[in-house]
């Protein structure tokens, strides 16, 4: 009987031992809280260096950020998510936050605002190839691409960031800056009252930005694309400039976004104004901007202030007969006949 009890007790111990397993004191947590602060304080003509406060500034607000997680060694994308919880810090900066599931490892984080209708993104599967660009609006007769102006792209980049195994939610905080420039441009105009509408294109500009690459230059995010170059199209506005000497202070002006002026380029920097007067006549003026881009105002404040005055002539009415098909109605001729039913 004692032997039977011993065997039963031994069997129970074996079963109990087999059913036990080691467990950590705390379960590992994979959630990572990502918080991105958007800083546009130093962007000329948006938050500082405002030359003309009569015209609207480009929108830099965003409601969503996209997060790409890349393997640090291969630069291949391993995960992505979106941040949409919005708040503001004590300095009034937008803060976008959200959670991402990450266990542990060394990663590169690349984060950008997702609500940019004119700024497009391609080749995002690899950090070294991801590119921001804009679609082509038209092409000039000499083969120059004319693109729509991009929206501000706010980018935050964290490289070789170690995420260690963690039992509580880990927080990653970073700051996003724009990889675009905003320029102010104006030209004095005589006869501004005769201008019905006006647009402009500027040549000699970068066509995109591979913003996942390191530029190696302070203050420049990513590698900007100069081949091919592009021209940017935008609309001019009527305004005035009290700093102009003389009685006539009328100007045509605009704020436009660009990936930047191609460095050391000359002779290809032109602006072409295309206006329509109050009688529907087409007016055009082209000005070389080499000298303007080298001024202190252009370099330090991104102001392109053209000295030359554009004189708009008195509109000439269109002739009533512009050629083409002119329908005429002659007198009726009576015809008589029988119709069989």
């Amino acid at each position: 009987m004692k032997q039977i009890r011993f065997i039963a007790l031994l069997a129970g111990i074996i079963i109990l031992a087999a059913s036990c397993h080691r467990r950590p004191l705390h379960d590992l947590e994979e959630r990572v809280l990502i918080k991105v602060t958007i800083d546009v304080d130093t962007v000329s003509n948006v938050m500082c260096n405002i030359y003309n406060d009569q015209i609207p500034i480009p929108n830099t607000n965003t409601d969503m950020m996209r997060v790409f997680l890349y393997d640090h060694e291969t630069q291949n994308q391993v995960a992505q998510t979106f941040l949409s919880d919005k708040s503001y810090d004590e300095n009034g900066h937008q803060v976008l936050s959200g959670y991402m599931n990450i266990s542990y490892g060394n990663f590169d984080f690349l984060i950008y605002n997702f609500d940019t209708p004119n700024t497009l993104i391609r080749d995002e599967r690899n950090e070294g190839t991801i590119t921001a660009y804009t679609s082509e609006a038209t092409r000039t007769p000499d083969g120059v691409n004319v693109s729509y102006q991009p929206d501000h792209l706010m980018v935050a980049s964290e490289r070789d960031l170690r995420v260690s195994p963690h039992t509580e939610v880990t927080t990653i905080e970073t700051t996003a800056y724009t990889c675009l420039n905003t320029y102010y441009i104006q030209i004095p105009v005589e006869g501004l009252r005769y201008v019905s509408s006006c647009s402009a294109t500027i040549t000699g500009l970068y066509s995109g930005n591979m913003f996942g690459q390191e530029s190696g230059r302070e203050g420049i995010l990513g590698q900007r694309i100069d081949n091919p170059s592009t021209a940017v199209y935008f609309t001019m506005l009527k305004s005035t400039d009290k700093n102009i000497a003389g009685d006539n202070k009328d100007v045509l002006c605009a704020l436009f976004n660009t990936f930047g002026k191609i460095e050391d380029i000359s002779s290809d920097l032109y602006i072409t104004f295309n206006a329509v007067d109050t009688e529907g006549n087409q007016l055009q003026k082209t000005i070389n901007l080499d000298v303007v881009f080298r001024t202190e105002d252009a370099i330090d404040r991104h102001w392109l202030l053209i000295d030359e005055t554009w004189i708009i002539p008195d509109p000439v009415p269109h002739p009533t007969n512009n050629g083409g098909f002119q329908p005429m109605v002659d007198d009726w001729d009576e015809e008589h006949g029988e119709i069989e039913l």
Side-chain angles (χ1 to χ4, degrees):
M1 189 68 176
K2 290 182 180 180
Q3 186 176 4
I4 295 174
R5 289 179 180 177
F6 175 76
I7 294 173
L9 179 61
L10 182 61
I13 293 173
I14 294 173
I15 293 172
L16 183 63
S19 64
C20 293
H21 62 276
R22 295 179 179 272
R23 298 187 61 185
L25 295 177
H26 301 282
D27 290 333
L28 290 179
E29 171 68 70
E30 291 192 352
R31 287 194 307 164
V32 173
L33 175 62
I34 302 173
K35 299 177 67 175
V36 183
T37 301
I38 298 176
D39 189 346
V40 293
D41 289 350
T42 60
V43 182
S44 291
N45 301 302
V46 175
M47 295 298 291
C48 65
N49 298 326
I50 305 296
Y51 186 87
N52 187 344
D53 58 7
Q54 303 176 60
I55 61 175
I57 63 174
N59 181 29
T60 57
N61 291 321
T62 183
D63 293 318
M64 184 171 291
M65 303 288 286
R66 190 177 195 180
V67 181
F68 282 139
L69 188 67
Y70 293 98
D71 181 275
H72 177 67
E73 296 298 329
T74 66
Q75 293 194 327
N76 290 328
Q77 184 191 137
V78 294
Q80 66 170 298
T81 192
F82 295 91
L83 313 178
S84 58
D85 292 337
K86 188 173 181 179
S87 61
Y88 294 87
D89 66 11
E90 63 276 8
N91 297 313
H93 298 140
Q94 301 174 81
V95 180
L96 276 294
S97 60
Y99 291 94
M100 189 173 194
N101 288 336
I102 307 171
S103 55
Y104 60 90
N106 288 59
F107 303 101
D108 292 346
F109 288 80
L110 195 61
I111 308 169
Y112 66 92
N113 54 315
F114 192 60
D115 45 2
T116 55
N118 291 327
T119 301
L120 308 176
I121 306 297
R122 65 180 177 226
D123 300 330
E124 65 266 23
R125 291 186 177 275
N126 187 277
E127 186 179 13
T129 61
I130 187 170
T131 303
Y133 68 103
T134 57
S135 58
E136 184 178 305
T138 186
R139 188 182 294 261
T140 64
D142 54 354
V144 176
N145 295 330
V146 180
S147 302
Y148 295 105
Q149 60 169 317
D151 307 299
H152 271 282
L153 189 68
M154 310 298 174
V155 178
S157 177
E158 297 290 340
R159 299 179 187 277
D160 198 12
L161 189 63
R162 174 67 180 173
V163 178
S164 300
H166 47 283
T167 57
E168 297 180 350
V169 175
T170 296
T171 300
I172 295 175
E173 298 188 49
T174 186
T175 303
Y177 302 94
T178 183
C179 62
L180 272 67
N181 299 135
T182 295
Y183 280 90
Y184 173 79
I185 189 166
Q186 75 171 28
I187 180 172
V189 177
E190 287 187 12
L192 185 63
R193 63 187 181 278
Y194 299 135
V195 177
S196 176
S197 63
C198 184
S199 63
T201 55
I202 292 183
T203 59
L205 303 176
Y206 290 107
S207 60
N209 190 316
M210 300 178 74
F211 61 95
Q213 297 188 13
E214 294 185 90
S215 67
R217 298 191 57 190
E218 184 179 356
I220 297 178
L221 186 67
Q223 292 286 350
R224 299 180 294 185
I225 300 171
D226 60 4
N227 186 19
S229 65
T230 193
V232 168
Y233 166 89
F234 51 92
T235 301
M236 302 295 295
L237 303 173
K238 295 181 180 181
S239 189
T240 57
D241 181 4
K242 62 183 179 181
N243 298 313
I244 296 178
D247 295 333
N248 180 44
K249 301 183 183 299
D250 292 338
V251 297
L252 282 168
C253 63
L255 289 174
F256 68 93
N257 297 332
T258 171
F259 291 109
K261 180 192 79 69
I262 298 178
E263 299 173 12
D264 303 323
I265 195 170
S266 61
S267 302
D268 288 329
L269 287 167
Y270 290 93
I271 183 168
T272 299
F273 300 100
N274 290 284
V276 177
D277 68 17
T278 52
E279 290 293 334
N281 299 301
Q282 303 284 333
L283 307 171
Q284 188 176 88
K285 186 176 184 64
T286 299
I287 296 176
N288 187 288
L289 294 177
D290 286 347
V291 174
V292 178
F293 266 108
R294 291 197 294 267
T295 62
E296 180 181 345
D297 280 336
I299 295 171
D300 294 340
R301 292 170 283 277
H302 290 174
W303 298 344
L304 305 176
L305 307 178
I306 299 172
D307 290 332
E308 182 179 347
T309 299
W310 189 8
I311 300 175
I312 306 297
D314 293 351
V316 177
H318 278 298
T320 55
N321 185 0
N322 292 322
F325 175 67
Q326 299 290 330
M328 303 272 302
V329 178
D330 295 328
D331 293 335
W332 287 80
D333 292 328
E334 292 187 8
E335 293 188 4
H336 299 274
E338 295 182 359
I339 300 177
E340 295 185 2
L341 299 177

